[in-house]
Amino acid sequence: MTPPTPSAAAPLEVTDETVEKPAAPSTLKGAESRSPGRLAWTRFKRDRTGVISACIVIFFFVIAICAPLISALYGKDPYTLYGQEQTGLLNEAGFPLKPNGGIDGNFWFGIEPALGRDVFTFLLYGIRTSLLIATATTILVTIIGVVIGITAGYLGGKTDYLIGRVIDILLSFPSTLFFIAFMPVVYGVFVAPDDDIPTSLRATCLILVLTAFGWASIARLLRGQVLALREREFVEAAKVTGASPARIIFKELLPNLWTPILIQSTLALPAFVTAEAGLAFLGVGIIDPTPDWGVMIQRGAQFYTEDITFMIFPGVSMIIFVLAFNLLGDSVRDALDPKSKR
């Protein structure tokens, strides 16, 4: 007896599970291409230290710009001698009668010993003066350093050699001692020895002298960068196509130099703030009665043994600003060049 045979083959059933559906296109944001600038901005936003430092720096610049408005709302100015015009503020020795430097509802940061000026408005205008000089110097130093550095690196030859020697000479100068000895000579070029030097002239001379000796470092850095970039394939290709030197510099070289330029600028500004304040402290920069960070520290050093309050506010504010700007420069460097982060 033979086993029964099926009368017909069983039909093959096709279900949805046996058919593979095409994969949906990726909608992840990470798959989208982003520019280097956007990537750097994303990395910077993740750096909490950099963001906090940026907020502090912006705060200082805002109060420097708005110093006249804040002073008007506050109802006082940095030049009036309140301690001498109003009784009950200074004692016979010239120190504030009230504790903590005379801090109260009328004088938020107290009053200056001896002269009795309002410390709050004097500090506001002092920040304004220092940041104005440092910012103008940084801009000029960056422009001159970029132009000279790119020129030396791209042209090479005798031009590079001469510029390199000038840079070496400038970097070898003991800048602080040179400023102390040279600033009176600069003032004497514009003003007779017996005449008073206007504050605007002092600020202009400071900017020019700081710029004249400050561009060398950024120029040397960019010179080295350009020497490496000019041998790259994209620069050689631009030369083969007949591109002019100006086009090669602005279209090929300069876009690859924004990172070191920005980093050097953010690190240079706090250095110029401290340099300007140091010259004012030594009496060869901005002098009293013009409000300035260095002037306040110089005046505070005369009274700190009896009343340190007047010296605390300019000293602490300068430390906070310089530290915040240095941390900001480090964060900008890490965001633009992740390989440099440790």
Side-chain angles (χ1 to χ4, degrees), residues 36-37 40-41 43 258-260 262-263 331-340:
W41 174 244
R43 288 191 292 264
W258 284 119
T259 296
L262 186 58
I263 292 173
S331 299
V332 170
R333 179 195 60 199
D334 295 338
L336 295 174
D337 187 9
K339 296 181 180 179
S340 66

Side-chain angles (χ1 to χ4, degrees), residues 46-57:
R46 294 173 182 172
D47 189 348
R48 184 175 299 178
T49 301
V51 173
I52 295 175
S53 300
C55 293
I56 295 174
V57 169

Side-chain angles (χ1 to χ4, degrees), residues 130-195:
S130 297
L131 292 188
L132 173 63
I133 294 174
T135 303
T137 303
T138 302
I139 293 173
L140 291 177
V141 162
T142 302
I143 294 174
I144 295 174
V146 168
V147 172
I148 295 178
I150 293 177
T151 302
Y154 183 76
L155 296 180
K158 293 182 179 180
T159 302
D160 181 29
Y161 177 81
L162 293 175
I163 293 177
R165 301 295 75 75
V166 172
I167 291 175
D168 293 337
I169 293 173
L170 290 177
L171 293 177
S172 67
F173 272 102
S175 56
T176 302
L177 295 177
F178 187 81
F179 290 151
I180 295 173
F182 192 68
M183 287 306 299
V185 178
V186 177
Y187 297 145
V189 173
F190 301 98
V191 179
D194 298 333
D195 296 340

Side-chain angles (χ1 to χ4, degrees), residues 23-99:
S26 175
T27 58
L28 297 177
K29 293 183 179 180
E32 299 177 359
S33 60
R34 290 184 290 180
S35 65
R38 189 173 178 183
L39 290 172
W41 174 244
T42 302
R43 288 191 292 264
F44 178 78
K45 289 191 296 184
R46 294 173 182 172
D47 189 348
R48 184 175 299 178
T49 301
V51 173
I52 295 175
S53 300
C55 293
I56 295 174
V57 169
I58 292 173
F59 170 76
F60 272 90
F61 275 97
V62 169
I63 64 173
I65 295 172
C66 300
L69 176 61
I70 298 174
S71 177
L73 295 175
Y74 179 58
K76 294 179 178 62
D77 62 79
Y79 302 104
T80 302
L81 307 180
Y82 297 99
Q84 298 182 7
E85 296 179 359
Q86 301 178 20
T87 58
L89 295 178
L90 299 177
N91 58 21
E92 295 180 355
F95 293 99
L97 286 172
K98 295 182 179 180

